[in-house]
Amino acid sequence: MVSSKEVAKHAGVSQSTVSRVMNDPSKVSKVARESVLRAIEELNYRPNSVARSLVNKKTKSIALISGPLHNPFFVETTTSIINFAKEYGYHTNVHFENFGDNMSLYKDVLSHKFDGLILSSIFYDDPIFEELKKLDVPFVMFNRKHQSGGHYVEIDNLAAGKLAAEHLLKLGHRDIAWIGGDLRTTTFHGRYKGFLDEITEQGIRLPEHFIQVNDTTQKEVHRAIESMLASKKRPTAIFAATDSIAIFILDYLLEKGYSVPDDISVIGMDNINWSSHHSFQLTTVGHDGPKNLGQLAIEHLMDLMNSKEKQEKINITVQPKVFVRKTTKEL
Amino acid sequence: MVSSKEVAKHAGVSQSTVSRVMNDPSKVSKVARESVLRAIEELNYRPNSVARSLVNKKTKSIALISGPLHNPFFVETTTSIINFAKEYGYHTNVHFENFGDNMSLYKDVLSHKFDGLILSSIFYDDPIFEELKKLDVPFVMFNRKHQSGGHYVEIDNLAAGKLAAEHLLKLGHRDIAWIGGDLRTTTFHGRYKGFLDEITEQGIRLPEHFIQVNDTTQKEVHRAIESMLASKKRPTAIFAATDSIAIFILDYLLEKGYSVPDDISVIGMDNINWSSHHSFQLTTVGHDGPKNLGQLAIEHLMDLMNSKEKQEKINITVQPKVFVRKTTKEL
DNA sequence: AGATTATTTGAATACGTATTCAAAAGTTTT
DNA sequence: AAAACTTTTGAATACGTATTCAAATAATCT
């Protein structure tokens, strides 16, 4: 690779001058500038971003720790984040949550330098929070939050859980199942609690096998629904904690010959784009705004990184509403 | 940030020794090593990856230029690529193809250092190819290829187009529409040519409005199908050049009250995971293997980057087959 | 023990850029 | 034309690490 030093020699100036031409051409005389530009052209010089980062202490890149892309929610947020970051001249290093062991993932992520971090992977009591604080790197959580606060962007999961329960109760359902993911995340915990509070308030108690907490892959969701339907006591409606889970459930039910919503109602959560597809027409609960949570997160991260004054705590909780479509019906 | 120099001072050794402890602890005596490790612990030292990259001339990161994630094909390949790269200790910088102007995207991508590149964005006669050659950075193309060769992983698009056409012809269809993307990419070009060759061989000539070449977003696909169906002469079957397009078409048709395949048959291409979902049951043409094209691409990129000997040209063309499901039927 | 060999160490340097500082060259003012 | 500024320049240095090289220390052999 050709360096600024070689360009300098070729142009008959000092390396400093080459550097100036790259960063602030007005600081250099016309003759020198043109000579340098010619040399750059001829040698096909490209400044080494690594060396540049070393002195600037800026990498112009951010890290994203996302949930898995088999959940379309994260497809939408990841797209928003990468595109927005790009507008600001940042590259995005993408990582996926590692369900077994997030700590080793964090270690890996932190082994490279970056200027800011967005993560959706955090547990409510995750020790990574303190470590990030210590590292003094700007970060914002989206979709989930941490007990210690920090900057986060979320949906009101408790309210969302309540809304879903209300919707099903209003339709006359009493035997309602829940299928969701790890309750150590605020997302699932909040949605579950909201749901359960509402159900309990109506004096309903659910059999144990109506509550399935699992990994959120297609395979695991199919296993969960299968074991649930194998029992003599079956639910008339299923509350899936994410649209992604709901869509996996639809797949299973249709494959097995069930009709939705005639045999069984299904409600999801997140209002992802796919849920409105006319092959699904999934009833769901979610946010109704032009910006997804990832978009909100990256916008605020940019603020954090690029304004010198100490920022206010970013604590955004958007409100959910029910999107009634065709997968739920009166009992 | 605490540096190795500070650790050295704290531990009463030289910076060299700290560096040795980080890279090859066996090169340092037990007492020194322990003293250094203690200092590292106490100061919460983390080696600066940027400085490291500068001397090593390795960033341990790769760049990925992917198609948009609203196409689930790229969701699958992106996931495979990131995860595989991670196994090898590489971070992945993700970029999305910029339909209007890929040249500015390439410029942006190249402004950061990386050790290898995977791209699906290339045009058949894209000038970026020569530039990448000059830069001497290992890269492999997937899904598409370039006229000059290079390393690539693709499906046999010509054969795939033929297969789709054959399938529809065998079902008795003669009025077949095509909806696809930019023909400057080998993907769309090959699929189109294979389709057209087969159709033409049967003596069929299609009206102009049966061929729609567009951007592949939901909006554009809806516009294309809408204009096509507005005409008096309508197709009995549609060949969508990707499953993603096919699924957008399904959405439109169902929304407008058409029944698939009773009113109109639809065949896709890629055999993405979603196509087998029981809400779609999309007939499609694709590769039938455990590894998607992204996976194959990253595996070969790792070979390129990590073996010192000059590698053979990687030219992989996997063979497609028809997956008959429920969106096509006899006329 | 003395000689030889092996291990451990730190000083110096390189990686490629940006920036500071003082000197040089060029401009304007009187 | 000298004095007072302004602009342009290059040498030197810093960023934080890995590595080379020679010196110092420890271990092994005769």
Side-chain angles (χ1 to χ4, degrees):
Chain A
M1 273 293 79
V2 26
S3 69
S4 58
K5 202 177 293 183
E6 302 176 52
V7 173
K9 187 175 298 174
H10 198 269
V13 299
S14 73
Q15 183 267 327
S16 319
T17 299
V18 176
S19 177
R20 291 192 184 98
V21 172
M22 298 304 298
N23 296 298
D24 185 2
S26 80
K27 296 208 143 259
V28 78
S29 71
K30 200 175 170 207
V31 279
R33 191 188 327 141
E34 280 168 359
S35 157
V36 167
L37 289 174
R38 206 171 323 112
I40 285 176
E41 186 71 22
E42 284 171 17
L43 301 179
N44 193 27
Y45 167 70
R46 292 169 182 277
N48 182 321
S49 65
V50 173
R52 206 175 255 212
S53 289
L54 183 59
V55 13
N56 286 338
K57 298 174 175 306
K58 294 253 147 87
T59 63
K60 279 293 186 174
S61 70
I62 64 169
L64 164 64
I65 305 178
S66 171
L69 298 185
H70 67 241
N71 181 346
F73 172 82
F74 291 115
V75 170
E76 295 172 21
T77 55
T78 296
T79 297
S80 294
I81 290 166
I82 291 176
N83 286 338
F84 192 85
K86 174 184 147 74
E87 290 304 309
Y88 280 68
Y90 287 83
H91 288 193
T92 305
N93 263 95
V94 180
H95 307 265
F96 297 121
E97 182 171 11
N98 185 355
F99 282 95
D101 171 17
N102 264 338
M103 230 34 206
S104 81
L105 169 66
Y106 293 138
K107 199 180 145 203
D108 177 32
V109 173
L110 292 174
S111 72
H112 282 47
K113 279 252 176 209
F114 48 82
D115 298 343
L117 170 66
I118 292 189
L119 68 171
S120 74
S121 57
I122 206 157
F123 289 133
Y124 192 56
D125 62 353
D126 209 315
I128 189 64
F129 187 92
E130 284 309 320
E131 239 184 293
L132 290 173
K133 275 278 173 229
K134 253 191 285 177
L135 279 181
D136 200 36
V137 62
F139 69 100
V140 3
M141 295 158 283
F142 77 100
N143 195 43
R144 305 188 192 162
K145 65 182 171 186
H146 190 268
Q147 59 186 0
S148 304
H151 306 292
Y152 63 82
V153 179
E154 61 163 6
I155 195 170
D156 188 334
N157 290 298
L158 202 72
K162 268 186 195 301
L163 282 175
E166 272 173 29
H167 174 73
L168 294 175
L169 288 169
K170 207 173 343 166
L171 292 175
H173 293 279
R174 293 294 175 272
D175 299 318
I176 306 175
W178 151 276
I179 297 186
D182 197 320
L183 294 179
R184 287 175 297 171
T185 69
T186 55
T187 323
F188 290 118
H189 185 268
R191 292 171 185 194
Y192 178 63
K193 185 160 187 317
F195 162 73
L196 207 66
D197 284 357
E198 189 66 21
I199 291 279
T200 309
E201 204 165 286
Q202 300 300 315
I204 300 175
R205 297 212 51 202
L206 299 172
E208 204 165 309
H209 72 284
F210 274 25
I211 309 298
Q212 298 271 345
V213 174
N214 283 289
D215 200 359
T216 56
T217 61
Q218 167 153 17
K219 208 172 123 200
E220 287 303 303
V221 170
H222 280 191
R223 245 178 22 90
I225 179 92
E226 182 161 40
S227 82
M228 185 182 293
L229 295 178
S231 193
K232 55 274 146 242
K233 175 76 174 166
R234 292 180 184 183
T236 62
I238 300 176
F239 175 8
T242 69
D243 285 352
S244 172
I245 294 174
I247 289 173
F248 288 149
I249 290 172
L250 288 182
D251 184 38
Y252 180 89
L253 292 176
L254 295 178
E255 179 183 3
K256 297 304 180 190
Y258 290 87
S259 172
V260 177
D262 294 331
D263 297 334
I264 197 162
S265 284
V266 175
I267 187 170
M269 188 159 287
D270 279 338
N271 191 35
I272 61 175
N273 289 336
W274 285 96
S275 66
S276 64
H277 193 286
H278 286 77
S279 293
F280 298 132
Q281 284 279 59
L282 178 68
T283 295
T284 186
V285 178
H287 175 51
D288 185 24
K291 297 176 177 179
N292 64 48
L293 294 183
Q295 176 78 30
L296 292 171
I298 184 68
E299 288 181 5
H300 287 295
L301 181 64
M302 287 296 155
D303 282 352
L304 279 179
M305 294 186 332
N306 296 323
S307 75
K308 208 55 210 161
E309 323 90 72
K310 193 75 179 169
Q311 289 282 308
E312 304 274 326
K313 272 270 169 298
I314 294 155
N315 291 341
I316 298 178
T317 304
V318 301
Q319 287 309 310
K321 54 174 270 198
V322 180
F323 294 80
V324 180
R325 301 205 182 93
K326 308 276 197 231
T327 56
T328 51
K329 73 173 255 196
E330 197 118 20
L331 191 61
Chain B
M1 273 291 79
V2 26
S3 69
S4 58
K5 202 177 293 183
E6 301 177 53
V7 172
K9 186 176 299 174
H10 198 268
V13 299
S14 73
Q15 182 266 327
S16 319
T17 299
V18 176
S19 176
R20 291 192 184 98
V21 172
M22 298 304 298
N23 295 299
D24 185 1
S26 82
K27 298 208 140 256
V28 88
S29 71
K30 199 174 171 211
V31 280
R33 191 188 327 140
E34 280 168 359
S35 157
V36 167
L37 288 174
R38 205 171 324 112
I40 286 176
E41 185 72 20
E42 284 172 17
L43 300 180
N44 193 27
Y45 167 70
R46 293 169 182 277
N48 182 322
S49 66
V50 173
R52 204 175 255 209
S53 289
L54 183 58
V55 12
N56 287 338
K57 299 171 175 306
K58 294 253 147 89
T59 62
K60 278 292 185 175
S61 71
I62 64 169
L64 164 63
I65 304 177
S66 171
L69 298 185
H70 67 241
N71 181 346
F73 172 82
F74 292 115
V75 170
E76 296 172 21
T77 54
T78 297
T79 297
S80 295
I81 289 166
I82 291 177
N83 286 338
F84 192 86
K86 175 185 147 72
E87 290 304 308
Y88 279 67
Y90 286 83
H91 288 193
T92 306
N93 262 95
V94 180
H95 307 265
F96 298 122
E97 182 171 12
N98 185 355
F99 282 95
D101 172 17
N102 264 338
M103 229 35 206
S104 82
L105 169 66
Y106 293 138
K107 200 181 143 202
D108 177 32
V109 172
L110 292 174
S111 72
H112 282 48
K113 280 252 176 210
F114 50 82
D115 298 343
L117 170 66
I118 292 189
L119 68 171
S120 73
S121 57
I122 206 158
F123 288 133
Y124 191 56
D125 62 352
D126 208 316
I128 189 65
F129 187 92
E130 284 310 319
E131 239 184 294
L132 290 174
K133 275 278 173 231
K134 254 191 284 175
L135 279 181
D136 199 36
V137 63
F139 69 100
V140 3
M141 294 158 283
F142 76 101
N143 195 43
R144 304 188 193 162
K145 65 181 171 187
H146 191 268
Q147 60 186 359
S148 304
H151 305 292
Y152 62 82
V153 179
E154 61 163 5
I155 195 170
D156 188 334
N157 289 299
L158 202 72
K162 268 187 196 300
L163 283 176
E166 271 174 29
H167 174 74
L168 294 176
L169 289 169
K170 208 175 340 168
L171 291 176
H173 292 280
R174 293 294 175 273
D175 300 318
I176 306 175
W178 151 276
I179 298 186
D182 197 320
L183 295 179
R184 286 175 298 171
T185 69
T186 55
T187 323
F188 289 119
H189 185 268
R191 292 171 185 194
Y192 178 64
K193 184 162 188 318
F195 162 73
L196 207 64
D197 284 357
E198 189 67 22
I199 291 279
T200 309
E201 205 165 289
Q202 299 301 313
I204 301 174
R205 296 212 52 203
L206 300 172
E208 203 165 309
H209 72 285
F210 275 24
I211 308 299
Q212 297 273 346
V213 174
N214 284 288
D215 200 0
T216 56
T217 60
Q218 166 153 19
K219 208 173 123 200
E220 287 304 302
V221 170
H222 280 192
R223 244 178 23 91
I225 179 91
E226 182 162 41
S227 83
M228 184 182 293
L229 295 179
S231 194
K232 56 270 147 247
K233 176 77 174 166
R234 293 180 184 181
T236 62
I238 300 176
F239 175 8
T242 69
D243 285 351
S244 172
I245 294 174
I247 289 173
F248 288 149
I249 291 172
L250 288 182
D251 184 38
Y252 180 88
L253 292 177
L254 296 178
E255 180 184 2
K256 298 303 181 191
Y258 292 86
S259 172
V260 177
D262 293 330
D263 297 334
I264 198 162
S265 284
V266 175
I267 188 170
M269 188 159 287
D270 280 338
N271 190 35
I272 61 176
N273 289 335
W274 284 96
S275 67
S276 64
H277 193 287
H278 285 77
S279 293
F280 298 133
Q281 285 279 59
L282 179 67
T283 295
T284 186
V285 178
H287 176 52
D288 185 24
K291 297 176 177 179
N292 64 48
L293 294 183
Q295 176 78 31
L296 292 172
I298 183 69
E299 289 180 5
H300 287 295
L301 181 65
M302 287 296 155
D303 282 352
L304 279 179
M305 294 186 332
N306 297 323
S307 74
K308 207 55 209 162
E309 322 90 72
K310 193 75 178 171
Q311 289 281 310
E312 305 272 326
K313 272 270 169 297
I314 293 155
N315 290 343
I316 297 178
T317 304
V318 301
Q319 287 308 311
K321 54 174 271 200
V322 180
F323 295 80
V324 180
R325 300 205 182 92
K326 309 277 196 228
T327 56
T328 51
K329 73 172 255 197
E330 196 117 21
L331 191 59

